[in-house]
Amino acid sequence: MSHCEEEITREARETKPAVRLRVAERRQIAMVVQCPDDLVGAEHPVRMVMALVETLEVSRFAEPIKAREGVAGRDATDPRLLVGLWL
C-alpha cells in the first residue's frame, strides 16, 4: 500500500460517520384528514377477511396482555387486527 493510500485509510478510520436524524418537514402544504375505512372500497376482499375475523373468538389471545385499564403503559394491539393481518 502506498503512503497516500495509508493516509486515506487512516483518515477514514478517524472520521466519524454522519449522524442520521429524523427532521420535521416544515414545508408541508396541507394535512389530510382521512378515515382509514374510506380508503378501501366496499367490495374489496379485505372486508370479507375482517368480517370473518370479527366472528372468531380471540379472547384467549388477550389473556397474556399486560396493558390494562387504569395501569400506565402503552395500549396493546387488538388481537383481531393481528389475526386479520396474518390472514
Side-chain angles (χ1 to χ4, degrees):
M1 190 181 301
S2 72
H3 177 68
C4 184
E5 290 173 334
E6 289 176 2
E7 183 68 22
I8 291 171
T9 304
R10 185 180 56 77
E11 287 177 8
R13 281 191 301 250
E14 292 175 357
T15 305
K16 291 183 181 180
V19 176
R20 295 184 317 172
L21 300 173
R22 282 179 279 141
V23 297
E25 178 54 58
R26 298 193 192 321
R27 289 184 251 150
Q28 180 178 349
I29 296 172
M31 257 185 151
V32 179
V33 179
Q34 290 181 315
C35 174
D37 200 44
D38 294 342
L39 300 174
V40 178
E43 301 299 318
H44 195 281
V46 74
R47 297 211 182 265
M48 184 173 50
V49 171
M50 286 313 293
L52 170 69
V53 169
E54 289 171 358
T55 67
L56 300 176
E57 175 57 43
V58 295
S59 61
R60 299 276 317 258
F61 288 114
E63 288 176 6
I65 295 174
K66 295 179 182 176
R68 302 289 174 178
E69 288 186 22
V71 178
R74 184 178 184 162
D75 294 347
T77 302
D78 186 348
R80 291 174 293 204
L81 176 62
L82 298 174
V83 170
L85 288 170
W86 181 73
L87 290 174

